[in-house]
Amino acid sequence: MTGTVITVTSGKGGVGKTTTSAAFGAALALRGKRVCLVDFDVGLRNLDLVLGIEKRVVFDFLHVVSGKAKLSQALIRDKRIDTLYVLATSQTHEKDALTYEGVASVIGQLQKEFDYVICDSPAGIEHGAMMALYHADHAIVVCNPEISSIRDADRILGFVSSKSKRAEEGRDPVREHLLITRYDDERVRCGEMLPVADVCDILSAELLGIIPESRAVLNASNTGLPASFDAGTDVGRAYRDAASRFFGEVPQPITVPMAAQVAVLESRPQRGFLRRLFRRS
Ligand SMILES: Nc1ncnc2c1ncn2[C@@H]1O[C@H](COP(=O)(O)OP(=O)(O)O)[C@@H](O)[C@H]1O
Ligand SMILES: [Mg+2]
């Protein structure tokens, strides 16, 4: 068995990558998949905080990459979802401690043990982000419905298609998914945020989901739970909905903004108009 590598990336920081890695990964694990979350954001190290396991980290990804610990010593199993594991990162190591060979070896080992390896990337195109992208089979590009975030996401999509191992080896391209996060219907109505149809018009990746702006994210991270754990919250439903879309099931659009926005998107006769304008600007 070879596990699938999913990289969660974005152009800009603070858009919701770590929240998404934890929530989307947990949503896959809740469906019985064996999932390992890997924190590539060396220096920030917050995947373990979001999941409330920071006190359990003794060895991390960097120790395994540099051969100072075995993978089995560094993997932390989630106490609530027993098919979910985390490989945390370090706040103290140098960012370039992630070597190509070391990362390739760890990802290879993880692919033998897990159905899905989810790489939580740092923002942008720095070394750690490139490392996280390199092994991707799928890329989830996280983007807020704002022009600056979309512009940066567009740039990252270019890197996904040219800098991955798949591109290097001339294999099928990395499958690109777009996840719109922190979506706020009210702010779209008053023109502060772009409607989903416009975002999708500009970025050509397939739409995986729309995650609403919600206090439930803060509550979940304060209690160390992935935001998809509680299916009773709007974000919980939205992340589980994204997982269903990932598996090719076309779920009932559960969240209200999702339903309304997808209807607009599907009723558009001509796509790409905004993209042409955007590219020229
Ligand atoms: N859907 C959401 N609603 C409200 N707050 C969110 C949402 N998604 C993320 N956040 C908050 O935004 C901040 C940045 O999220 P994070 O996942 O750490 O982003 P990144 O990993 O891209 O830097 C965090 O404080 C997080 O709690
Ligand atoms: Mg992060």
Side-chain angles (χ1 to χ4, degrees):
M1 181 196 85
T2 309
T4 302
V5 179
I6 305 174
T7 299
V8 179
T9 184
S10 75
K12 233 174 86 166
V15 293
K17 288 180 298 300
T18 299
T19 305
T20 295
S21 300
F24 185 76
L28 300 187
L30 284 165
R31 299 169 66 122
K33 306 292 180 195
R34 284 178 57 81
V35 177
C36 183
L37 308 174
V38 185
D39 192 344
F40 275 78
D41 205 349
V42 180
L44 269 177
R45 196 198 136 172
N46 52 24
L47 190 56
D48 54 340
L49 295 173
V50 165
L51 288 163
I53 55 155
E54 70 279 8
K55 295 205 179 78
R56 296 171 60 203
V57 179
V58 177
F59 294 113
D60 62 45
F61 186 26
L62 276 298
H63 289 115
V64 185
V65 165
S66 62
K68 294 195 181 92
K70 293 211 179 80
L71 184 58
S72 55
Q73 293 175 285
L75 280 175
I76 298 172
R77 186 185 197 161
D78 189 89
K79 287 197 169 139
R80 294 124 331 178
I81 309 171
D82 61 7
T83 53
L84 182 66
Y85 289 73
V86 183
L87 191 52
T89 195
S90 151
Q91 244 167 345
T92 52
H93 280 83
E94 292 294 315
K95 285 179 196 250
D96 53 13
L98 291 177
T99 58
Y100 262 96
E101 301 72 29
V103 171
S105 154
V106 175
I107 298 286
Q109 289 177 62
L110 290 171
Q111 282 182 290
K112 286 194 196 122
E113 282 184 43
F114 292 93
D115 299 315
Y116 293 96
V117 178
I118 301 197
C119 306
D120 179 21
S121 173
I125 53 167
E126 58 153 272
H127 179 71
M130 286 309 173
M131 289 289 137
L133 258 186
Y134 187 66
H135 296 278
D137 297 306
H138 294 256
I140 298 180
V141 177
V142 178
C143 157
N144 299 154
E146 291 160 351
I147 284 289
S148 64
S149 179
I150 295 164
R151 199 177 285 280
D152 294 340
D154 195 36
R155 196 154 161 247
I156 276 298
L157 282 167
F159 278 94
V160 170
S161 58
S162 61
K163 299 277 185 183
S164 64
K165 190 172 179 208
R166 281 179 168 266
E168 217 172 80
E169 294 176 349
R171 286 189 284 144
D172 288 344
V174 177
R175 191 146 162 213
E176 298 166 354
H177 309 265
L178 175 65
L179 188 74
I180 299 176
T181 56
R182 314 202 67 165
Y183 177 87
D184 184 339
D185 234 3
E186 201 48 55
R187 293 185 63 195
V188 172
R189 258 195 288 274
C190 69
E192 286 174 21
M193 278 186 170
L194 287 179
V196 168
D198 289 0
V199 181
C200 294
D201 207 19
I202 296 166
L203 301 171
S204 54
E206 19 176 334
L207 183 65
L208 184 64
I210 302 165
I211 313 298
E213 170 78 23
S214 169
R215 280 198 64 83
V217 169
L218 188 64
N219 294 341
S221 99
N222 283 343
T223 45
L225 281 168
S228 58
F229 194 74
D230 185 352
T233 63
D234 51 358
V235 265
R237 285 193 298 275
Y239 275 114
R240 287 171 184 232
D241 187 7
S244 308
R245 279 182 181 251
F246 183 80
F247 288 120
E249 305 155 8
V250 183
Q252 286 286 93
I254 306 167
T255 53
V256 174
M258 183 86 181
Q261 298 292 328
V262 168
V264 174
L265 186 65
E266 283 165 1
S267 70
R268 285 217 164 176
Q270 206 190 356
R271 290 189 63 186
F273 172 70
L274 278 172
R275 179 171 180 78
R276 287 193 292 278
L277 278 182
F278 188 79
R279 275 280 155 94
R280 253 179 253 145
S281 64

